[in-house]
Amino acid sequence: LTASAQRFVKTFNTVAAMLAANPNDVHTNIVVAGYYSANDGGGGEFVYNGSSTTATNWGTVFKPTSFDGRFLRQNVERFNVKQFGARGDGTTDDATQFTNAIAVANGREVYLPASTYRIGTQLSFVTTFAGTYTNGLKIVGDGSEKTILDTRVASAALIRVDTDAVSAARFQRGVLLSGFQITGSVGNPASADGISLRHAYDVRIDDVRIRNLTGTGILITATEGDTDGCNQVAISNSRIEVCAGWGINVNCSSGVNE
């Protein structure tokens, strides 16, 4: 904040405290120390816009508890899951917070700070659009030994990339999955896969470790051929181990060579 703006800064320890406040007493500029507690990684700078009616997304847009208008997060360059309320304590299910961050990012980078995140519902980014290409899912952590995703998702992949296209060449382009680990070592669910790719073009998977799953590590699917087959998939500096299914399964339907 500029020197003149700092004269009108209101500070809160938590997001809940900010939401409970009277925005008319806040001035305009707000600094929040954390989401649930100070220094938990979920804080940041906000402004209050009294005329905004943008839907609350629990990460970048918040409605005050008893007033109209919105608190709007500032200086968002990438979408930090802890700023959407993910706890990363290895116990709390953070799937809703991840899903919110992925939806708001809409193809921009979702950042996973070093922590262990328990995920109980599939993280699905399935795009709907007209045309050939749209921005692909981007999830970046602090390293495959620092950012851990403890999957509790049964009979599905933890991360799913796809489009809604049927017999149409529509692709997510520029998918980036980097710097995290998917593990089923705690409470391993049945038939749990790691990553599922379909309708994806220019995919980079780097520094990703997948281990101890009851299913396949990375599943690449093509049922139609050119209209849904993945293309230019690069996997580097990654490790897939102790999975009951395949490490990498390129699964094409009969007669499809893709």
Side-chain angles (χ1 to χ4, degrees), residues 59-226:
T60 61
V61 181
F62 297 85
K63 183 185 181 301
T65 303
S66 303
F67 297 88
D68 292 328
R70 299 292 187 269
F71 293 112
L72 307 176
R73 189 182 292 275
Q74 302 298 289
N75 304 316
V76 178
E77 296 181 358
R78 56 182 180 174
F79 297 83
N80 183 337
V81 293
K82 291 200 171 182
Q83 292 181 337
F84 281 78
R87 292 184 181 271
D89 57 13
T91 302
T92 305
D93 188 348
D94 287 321
T96 296
Q97 290 72 28
F98 271 60
T99 297
N100 289 344
I102 289 169
V104 174
N106 193 30
R108 292 167 289 180
E109 183 177 316
V110 176
Y111 171 52
L112 317 181
S115 286
T116 296
Y117 303 92
R118 178 172 174 167
I119 306 295
T121 306
Q122 184 180 68
L123 305 178
S124 180
F125 188 57
V126 179
T127 50
T128 301
F129 65 101
T132 304
Y133 297 114
T134 190
N135 289 333
L137 176 66
K138 297 175 183 64
I139 298 178
V140 177
D142 277 332
S144 59
E145 300 303 320
K146 295 180 179 180
T147 298
I148 313 299
L149 306 184
D150 173 12
T151 181
R152 305 301 177 94
V153 180
S155 303
L158 174 63
I159 297 173
R160 178 190 174 202
V161 174
D162 203 346
T163 75
D164 68 337
V166 177
S167 299
R170 295 177 181 169
F171 297 90
Q172 287 190 33
R173 186 174 190 171
V175 175
L176 173 62
L177 304 173
S178 176
F180 60 85
Q181 178 179 149
I182 298 173
T183 180
S185 61
V186 179
N188 202 344
S191 303
D193 298 328
I195 297 168
S196 173
L197 301 172
R198 183 169 173 260
H199 284 114
Y201 178 85
D202 186 17
V203 179
R204 183 157 62 93
I205 299 174
D206 181 67
D207 187 25
V208 171
R209 186 180 183 191
I210 302 173
R211 67 188 186 96
N212 294 344
L213 299 184
T214 51
T216 291
I218 298 174
L219 177 63
I220 302 172
T221 301
T223 60
E224 301 167 1
D226 289 341

Side-chain angles (χ1 to χ4, degrees), residues 30 64 113 136 227-228 245:
I30 305 152
T227 56
D228 75 338

